[in-house]
Amino acid sequence: MTTIPASAKSARKPKGEGHERRAEILAAAERIFVEHGYEGATIRKIADEVGLSSTALYMHFSEKGEILQEICRQAFESLLTANRAAVAEAGSPEDKMRKMMRAYVDFGFNNPNAYRLVYMTRPSELREGAQSAAREMGGDLFAIFETVVGELETAGRLRGDAKTAAQAFWAGGHGVISLIIAKPYFDWVDHDHLATTMLEGLFAGLLKP
């Protein structure tokens, strides 16, 4: 971790930069929660990472549980936005499914720390807000996904039932993301190529021509 000069830590936050500083706190907290675990992370560590005093950080968040909940909320909001955009676009149910699955995988690859906190949580993180966010916003996210899978079933395109197919698609997407995040030392092929191959396998296996 880069050492932050004392002068930077003690500097007053410039007026009008509250939104940017809040984003910095969330990004730093993601890294620290993943590196040290939720229980090992402290407000002091997060504040030091962004060059703030603990007192100044408390002006943005009341405690670290609130920070974790906001990280989870923003992650789900990003995925909800992508799903709603896919559903709003003209196209077949398969087109919508492809866009939603690609958006999900891309989010995981582009936001590995947030993904780990939301979908690869440890017990302490579950207790401190990740589980409640998953139940509230994650439920809405999966409901949109299930609706499109239901459209595929109605159109006679599914092999099997919609509930099983929806969970299989999700499990496949999560599998490739979580393995790459958890095993960075493995000799993976190009991540995008691997994801595309996995997704095409799912579509070929779960959809009728």
Side-chain angles (χ1 to χ4, degrees):
M1 184 183 298
T2 302
T3 301
I4 300 171
S7 58
K9 293 182 182 181
S10 59
R12 292 175 61 87
K13 176 176 63 66
K15 185 176 180 180
E17 293 187 359
H19 179 75
E20 290 81 1
R21 185 52 57 90
R22 186 178 174 90
E24 290 174 3
I25 292 169
L26 291 171
E30 279 186 12
R31 294 191 297 271
I32 291 171
F33 287 153
V34 168
E35 181 179 353
H36 299 280
Y38 181 81
E39 293 175 337
T42 64
I43 289 293
R44 177 72 268 165
K45 285 178 182 176
I46 298 169
D48 284 347
E49 179 78 358
V50 292
L52 287 175
S53 67
S54 296
T55 301
L57 190 147
Y58 282 123
M59 295 175 63
H60 298 275
F61 296 98
S62 62
E63 42 91 26
K64 66 177 182 178
E66 184 181 348
I67 298 175
L68 176 61
Q69 290 176 39
E70 181 63 13
I71 290 169
C72 294
R73 189 197 67 78
Q74 289 190 9
F76 280 120
E77 188 58 48
S78 177
L79 287 166
L80 277 167
T81 297
N83 273 11
R84 288 166 179 156
V87 169
E89 291 182 18
S92 68
E94 181 178 344
D95 291 336
K96 295 174 184 178
M97 273 289 296
R98 287 181 175 277
K99 289 173 183 174
M100 286 192 289
M101 288 299 301
R102 190 72 243 188
Y104 179 75
V105 169
D106 287 346
F107 176 84
F109 287 165
N110 294 330
N111 303 275
N113 288 336
Y115 190 90
R116 186 189 288 267
L117 291 171
V118 171
Y119 287 109
M120 302 165 68
T121 47
R122 290 166 281 206
S124 60
E125 292 155 4
L126 288 173
R127 291 194 302 270
E128 294 297 328
Q131 183 168 266
S132 60
R135 285 177 173 171
E136 293 167 15
M137 300 181 73
D140 293 339
L141 179 67
F142 196 69
I144 297 172
F145 188 71
E146 279 189 308
T147 296
V148 176
V149 177
E151 292 175 3
L152 285 166
E153 183 178 45
T154 299
R157 295 290 313 282
L158 281 188
R159 302 181 193 275
D161 64 282
K163 185 173 183 178
T164 301
Q167 292 182 13
F169 272 115
W170 181 25
H174 173 70
V176 71
I177 297 167
S178 60
L179 276 172
I180 286 174
I181 290 175
K183 309 294 182 184
Y185 51 81
F186 186 76
D187 185 23
W188 298 108
V189 298
D190 176 76
H191 294 176
D192 185 69
H193 177 63
L194 178 61
T196 298
T197 301
M198 183 275 300
L199 290 175
E200 288 304 318
L202 283 172
F203 279 101
L206 293 171
L207 298 189
K208 298 176 183 177

